[in-house]
Amino acid sequence: MKAYLIDPVDKLVSQITIGDGFEEIQEHLKCDLFTVACTLDNDDTLYVDDVGLISGKQQEFFMFQPYPSPLAGRGLLLGAKPDGSSADCQTELLDCAMMVSWLSHI
């Protein structure tokens, strides 16, 4: 499936291909636990490290326009079907990149 990886270390939003398993989300986010930060009107869903803000790790942060607070570490935008299963991202890559702004260490 088509997804977008938001990498605040490299300050890059890139298109990737991801399979169905949650393990691939963990791998791309480089975390054990992940959560939904927000869902767009087209059902694309932004996943982030669930303990990113409280882990104590020194890391980079980003803002994602629909979400009101800083997000720690990587983000993954992935589409969703009505039954909750994953699907291709519907948002265009450029539109996703325009929703992202980079923050320095907090």
Side-chain angles (χ1 to χ4, degrees):
M1 290 170 287
K2 176 177 76 171
Y4 302 131
L5 180 64
I6 301 168
D7 184 346
V9 172
D10 293 333
K11 296 186 176 19
L12 182 67
V13 178
S14 57
Q15 182 174 321
I16 62 169
T17 302
I18 190 168
D20 271 339
F22 72 90
E23 298 90 352
E24 285 194 53
I25 296 174
Q26 290 173 312
E27 180 181 324
H28 286 289
L29 293 178
K30 297 183 178 181
C31 70
D32 293 323
L33 298 170
F34 61 90
T35 191
V36 172
C38 67
T39 301
L40 304 179
D41 291 339
N42 63 6
D43 292 329
D44 284 353
T45 303
L46 180 66
Y47 297 97
V48 295
D49 183 347
D50 193 30
V51 295
L53 290 173
I54 60 172
S55 68
K57 297 178 191 173
Q58 188 178 39
Q59 55 187 321
E60 299 293 329
F61 297 80
F62 70 96
M63 295 291 295
F64 191 70
Q65 188 176 9
Y67 192 76
S69 300
L71 297 161
R74 292 173 158 211
L76 184 70
L77 190 67
L78 186 60
K81 295 178 185 174
D83 67 1
S85 60
S86 298
D88 282 335
C89 197
Q90 297 301 305
T91 304
E92 294 294 325
L93 178 60
L94 181 58
D95 293 333
C96 177
M98 296 298 293
M99 290 184 231
V100 175
S101 57
W102 310 113
L103 302 174
S104 299
H105 294 286
I106 295 179

